[in-house]
Amino acid sequence: MKPSDWKILNRKVRFGDCDSAGVIHFHNLLRWSHESWEESIEIYGIPYQEVFPDLSERINKIIFPIVNCEANFFSPIKVGNFLEIKILPKKINNHLFQVNSLFMKNEIKVAEGKLIHCSIDFESKEKVQLPDQLEKWIESCNLNDHCQEC
Amino acid sequence: MKPSDWKILNRKVRFGDCDSAGVIHFHNLLRWSHESWEESIEIYGIPYQEVFPDLSERINKIIFPIVNCEANFFSPIKVGNFLEIKILPKKINNHLFQVNSLFMKNEIKVAEGKLIHCSIDFESKEKVQLPDQLEKWIESCNLNDHCQEC
Amino acid sequence: MKPSDWKILNRKVRFGDCDSAGVIHFHNLLRWSHESWEESIEIYGIPYQEVFPDLSERINKIIFPIVNCEANFFSPIKVGNFLEIKILPKKINNHLFQVNSLFMKNEIKVAEGKLIHCSIDFESKEKVQLPDQLEKWIESCNLNDHCQEC
Amino acid sequence: MKPSDWKILNRKVRFGDCDSAGVIHFHNLLRWSHESWEESIEIYGIPYQEVFPDLSERINKIIFPIVNCEANFFSPIKVGNFLEIKILPKKINNHLFQVNSLFMKNEIKVAEGKLIHCSIDFESKEKVQLPDQLEKWIESCNLNDHCQEC
């Protein structure tokens, strides 16, 4: 396994993702940004439940509500398009992290998404430090394939 | 207030509800069916939280998962259409109830939705009797305006 | 009619708008921002089809793809919450306009959305000037109730 | 390639697919049913654009609006669950076809979806015969792996 395995993901634009103008309905891009880092976390090897808990089970848990999100659209994303998604997370401070997603179509950047998450204890609603595993994943995404082999 | 106030609702088809063919993306109809009876419950006067609890608050609560849903489409529902939605709930047995929704455009039936909900205790996951208030709402929807005035 | 009629809208947070943490699933806020200015346009009196065309009819038309969107979340938005949404559109240049949405709960700002739309001819895909009606709506939203009465 | 390659698909339940009760928001199941046969068509080898056209290009085309859909839920589908989806399409008559989707979790059937599509010419809105390629895909899905090898 090398960083590119969990830093570069793929997605096909489905019929239901698009609106009457035949292009992606804009807010789906932010849904994809979120689903992309969910997928990246899994490929990297963090058990899904440790980051995205089933809150109905009511064990002490950390959640990551979004405090800011943004998207830029550079070129139309249409039904049937095959996209490459590059994930770049970074730590902002002890309880905030950001995930940038770059959407490429045939090597051309068509859109980008940005999510800023806050790390919060589900019970107390207090800000808490980012979990270690999440920090490791962030670091691993900032390595290039070559570095990791050293 | 008369039954028609909470039995007949309205909805405008928004741009983002539709797909590339310019008609409603089909599963939105079932979302509307659900949102319609949520709205009906409110107009009838049941506090929203008693039927749709904030489960993060972790008090003993009843939830109503859907066990079956169905929709039929008779005529295209397009962006900008103004729809009248008639709600008709019925009790199936002690723990099951069904909500039918009839979607009308200019007096013509364009679609219908059906949801079957089961009444379950959130903690024990056991089937429980429908709450009294829900039963009263179901009965009230089966009265016509004239009857209620008697 | 006065500007506040189409500048201040309302929305109830529905069960299906929220995620497992019991708060709004974040990208719904941007969907609401879009639906809010669709509603504002209607209340102001512009026929819906003139701004949100049924493109399957294939008449020469203008579309308004989003080139940038952003949302900030200040406080949890939960199931059953009743929100007041204040719309503030502004013209950026001849073919770009921005719509800001302020989401209030009990007089407190809980979130804000921002959409930047570009005015494009559906056939030629060329940038075109904002339609007159849209410009008038933007101006009307920037009047306060008192001004308009003068 | 063997039929099981395009008859059996996989899906992970994402955080945003679920509602406040921690289970899949019901109408997502029907979205997944649709996306599953879109994916099956692709794996089978039909170019995506032949079945799901970009209608903004305005070439004479066939669309497949849904006339009926249904879903049954047997067991909770929760965040992080890994599902196997078995697709079974069948031809109903010259212009109607049905796609059943069976959702399995750890070999147990947790839900099923059913979509009935009608084959319609986008311009004339007349019913038309199912395209040959679609018929071949339907037949191929009704073969078992062993048969095809004969």
Side-chain angles (χ1 to χ4, degrees), chain D residues 50-51 60-65 91-97 117-132 134-135:
Chain D
E50 293 190 17
V51 180
N60 224 31
K61 277 160 182 167
I62 295 172
I63 52 171
F64 303 105
K91 184 176 173 176
I92 297 177
N93 63 27
N94 279 341
H95 57 270
L96 286 175
F97 70 101
H117 292 267
C118 188
S119 179
I120 283 182
D121 179 83
F122 184 59
E123 291 298 321
S124 69
K125 309 299 179 201
E126 294 293 320
K127 288 170 191 168
V128 292
Q129 208 159 329
L130 297 186
D132 280 356
L134 204 64
E135 290 221 30

Side-chain angles (χ1 to χ4, degrees), chain A residues 16-44:
Chain A
D17 295 323
C18 296
D19 64 21
S20 320
V23 297
I24 182 182
H25 192 64
F26 78 104
H27 60 68
N28 281 327
L29 194 100
L30 288 162
R31 178 167 63 83
W32 294 357
S33 295
H34 199 287
E35 290 181 6
S36 295
W37 81 261
E38 293 183 55
E39 190 182 342
S40 176
I41 284 280
E42 279 189 301
I43 297 170
Y44 177 66

